[in-house]
Amino acid sequence: MSDAPTTVYQLMPPVDLPAALDRQEIDYLTVQADRLFVIFRKAIINIEIREGTLETTRRIMIDVLDTAPRSAGTEDQLIDKFLEQLETATGTEWRDLSS
């Protein structure tokens, strides 16, 4: 498991997260009503909904649970690439609330 810090994001406007992931053909597993495991570039990303539902996500917590031994980039870079792909697909601004 990762020791990287967890990052919290606010989404403006809210996003239907499963639909956005489906449109980008990104694999995911719904673990709970407010939690997903996303497979992205051979990494497992944990997403927990902090405000809203999976279909109306307004605030989320993201961290990388596991990466491939030779994956390119840091965990922060991996999350950045993941968010860039979703921002483009959804037209949603992902504001980092952790800093």
Side-chain angles (χ1 to χ4, degrees):
M1 269 192 143
S2 168
D3 292 330
T6 299
T7 307
V8 177
Y9 293 91
Q10 181 160 353
L11 289 65
M12 308 271 283
V15 169
D16 182 336
L17 205 48
L21 293 169
D22 286 340
R23 278 194 305 275
Q24 293 297 302
E25 297 182 357
I26 298 173
D27 292 326
Y28 66 92
L29 172 67
T30 303
V31 180
Q32 297 173 327
D34 60 352
R35 186 175 183 197
L36 299 172
F37 286 161
V38 176
I39 310 301
F40 183 75
R41 297 189 179 185
K42 299 183 182 179
I44 301 172
I45 298 174
N46 179 51
I47 298 180
E48 295 183 35
I49 310 305
R50 293 295 183 212
E51 186 178 323
T53 67
L54 289 174
E55 292 76 22
T56 60
T57 305
R58 290 185 293 279
R59 186 172 297 184
I60 62 173
M61 183 177 73
I62 299 178
D63 61 324
V64 177
L65 296 181
D66 196 16
T67 59
R70 290 178 272 181
S71 63
T74 66
E75 292 178 0
D76 287 337
Q77 290 170 330
L78 183 71
I79 290 173
D80 288 345
K81 289 185 186 305
F82 172 70
L83 293 179
E84 284 172 17
Q85 191 167 337
L86 286 181
E87 284 175 343
T88 301
T90 62
T92 298
E93 176 186 347
W94 296 64
R95 186 178 316 152
D96 185 345
L97 301 178
S98 300
S99 7

